[in-house]
Amino acid sequence: MTEIFLNDKCYKLPENWTEVNPAQLPELLTLLYVYPESGGTYLEVLRTILGYAPGQWKKLMCHYFAGHRTVEQHEENAQALQGVLGQLSWMWQGELTVCPLPEGFDVDGTRWVLFEEGFRSMSFGELTNAHINAQAFIKQLVEGDERLNMLVATVCRPRRSGSYMNDPDWNGDHREQYNEHIARHRADLIKDGYIKEKILVLMYFLGTLKEFFSFYDLFDSDATGPAPTEDYPGQSMVKNQHLLSEKHIFGGMNATKSANIHDVFQFLEEHKKDIKEQNERSKAANDTH
């Protein structure tokens, strides 16, 4: 933390994500990952970090940028805010795409390890559920940290035992095979602690997800992820699970969920036009009933 003085008060500014107040995470992540970058967004980030309610912040801004103040005073106050924002610039400087906990972390005496960089060995089903949980946490569709715990328990799992690396069918994943039912149980194990680890996992997942989406030309928005007009988080990915399993591209539903996410997205990219037309026909047919 670094201390600053603003409005004759002392504030502590975080210098990395592990120092951010967990209660501020949903609002901050919404500002950073949902809203476009703008002067208004910067000020909202600053308001959140400093702990002001919207009404309090509005009064403060009106006080320091009121019409009766001189141009010089306005400029001086604007520079003061700019200086504080400069100390938070790390929030916008690149994504966290390198594993922040390469050795994992211990949960009740069991070592949990994180996913491979770039989602190299992640399955379609795992990424879909992780994406849904991350978005649900950021948007606080379920109040509190429940969905954050689910995200961490989804993408972090105990290391496999035995000589698994000698198995010719090993896919490069050091974690136990993903099971969403076990993940729900494991989420309870971390609900009362592990704040630092959960923040790092969240930022690593979001950074890797944004980078991963940018590799594939699947989206009509800005190529950074599914369109924000989805009725619920992960809607397009769930729809594609059903579409691919119906056509047995990778097999039935279980096989589709188990397929490597890079293989799935490469197929979806190659057949983007056909899949879009089929989805539009399905939607039109449903609208007529």
Side-chain angles (χ1 to χ4, degrees):
M1 291 282 193
T2 182
E3 289 188 349
I4 65 163
F5 286 88
L6 188 68
N7 189 30
D8 297 325
K9 291 178 64 176
C10 179
Y11 297 89
K12 289 186 177 181
L13 294 183
E15 297 180 277
N16 55 63
W17 284 109
T18 65
E19 294 181 346
V20 172
N21 183 345
Q24 296 175 335
L25 269 179
E27 189 168 6
L28 284 175
L29 294 175
T30 298
L31 291 168
L32 291 167
Y33 287 90
V34 177
Y35 290 96
E37 242 182 276
S38 68
T41 302
Y42 296 150
L43 287 176
E44 281 297 292
V45 168
L46 185 56
R47 175 190 68 76
T48 303
I49 285 291
L50 296 178
Y52 281 90
Q56 293 174 317
W57 185 252
K58 185 176 180 180
K59 283 184 179 180
L60 188 66
M61 292 299 99
C62 287
H63 174 73
Y64 281 100
F65 295 95
H68 68 271
R69 294 189 179 276
T70 65
V71 174
E72 290 77 12
Q73 287 175 322
H74 283 180
E75 180 66 24
E76 182 180 343
N77 293 333
Q79 288 180 359
L81 290 180
Q82 183 63 39
V84 178
L85 277 170
Q87 295 185 67
L88 297 172
S89 61
W90 56 266
M91 289 185 175
W92 291 273
Q93 291 176 353
E95 312 296 338
L96 180 58
T97 57
V98 177
C99 183
L101 299 167
E103 301 301 321
F105 59 100
D106 289 331
V107 178
D108 287 350
T110 300
R111 177 60 57 94
W112 289 16
V113 292
L114 283 63
F115 56 88
E116 297 288 322
E117 293 177 7
F119 298 148
R120 290 196 298 267
S121 56
M122 188 171 286
S123 69
F124 188 23
E126 178 186 345
L127 183 63
T128 298
N129 289 345
H131 172 58
I132 290 172
N133 284 314
Q135 291 300 310
F137 170 69
I138 291 172
K139 298 176 182 178
Q140 283 293 278
L141 301 182
V142 178
E143 188 175 351
D145 294 346
E146 178 183 331
R147 288 307 187 98
L148 175 59
N149 297 333
M150 275 298 303
L151 166 67
V152 175
T154 295
V155 299
C156 301
R157 302 193 290 279
R159 184 180 292 273
R160 296 190 188 195
S161 59
S163 55
Y164 62 90
M165 288 185 286
N166 295 326
D167 187 337
D169 294 326
W170 181 52
N171 65 352
D173 195 345
H174 294 280
R175 305 166 300 164
E176 289 181 356
Q177 187 172 356
Y178 173 58
N179 183 301
E180 57 185 293
H181 303 293
I182 295 177
R184 291 193 187 96
H185 166 71
R186 287 181 177 148
D188 287 336
L189 300 177
I190 57 174
K191 66 180 181 181
D192 295 323
Y194 306 95
I195 298 300
K196 174 182 176 180
E197 290 82 1
K198 287 190 283 192
I199 292 174
L200 287 174
V201 171
L202 174 65
M203 301 315 301
Y204 176 42
F205 175 77
L206 291 175
T208 305
L209 184 71
K210 186 174 182 179
E211 180 183 64
F212 173 77
F213 281 148
S214 72
F215 293 153
Y216 296 93
D217 182 22
L218 292 177
F219 311 109
D220 295 327
S221 53
D222 59 357
T224 60
T229 55
E230 292 184 328
D231 293 332
Y232 56 87
Q235 181 183 27
S236 60
M237 297 179 74
V238 172
K239 282 185 175 180
N240 282 327
Q241 282 185 358
H242 287 278
L243 178 63
L244 295 174
S245 63
E246 286 171 4
K247 291 182 169 294
H248 276 253
I249 302 300
F250 297 94
M253 180 58 79
N254 287 337
T256 299
K257 289 182 177 181
S258 299
N260 181 276
I261 188 61
H262 290 276
D263 294 338
V264 172
F265 266 53
Q266 184 174 344
F267 177 87
L268 292 174
E269 183 177 52
E270 292 173 353
H271 298 82
K272 177 182 177 181
K273 183 178 179 181
D274 295 338
I275 291 173
K276 182 177 181 181
E277 290 176 352
Q278 180 163 343
N279 284 333
E280 289 174 349
R281 286 196 299 269
S282 297
K283 185 178 185 301
N286 290 333
D287 291 342
T288 60
H289 291 308

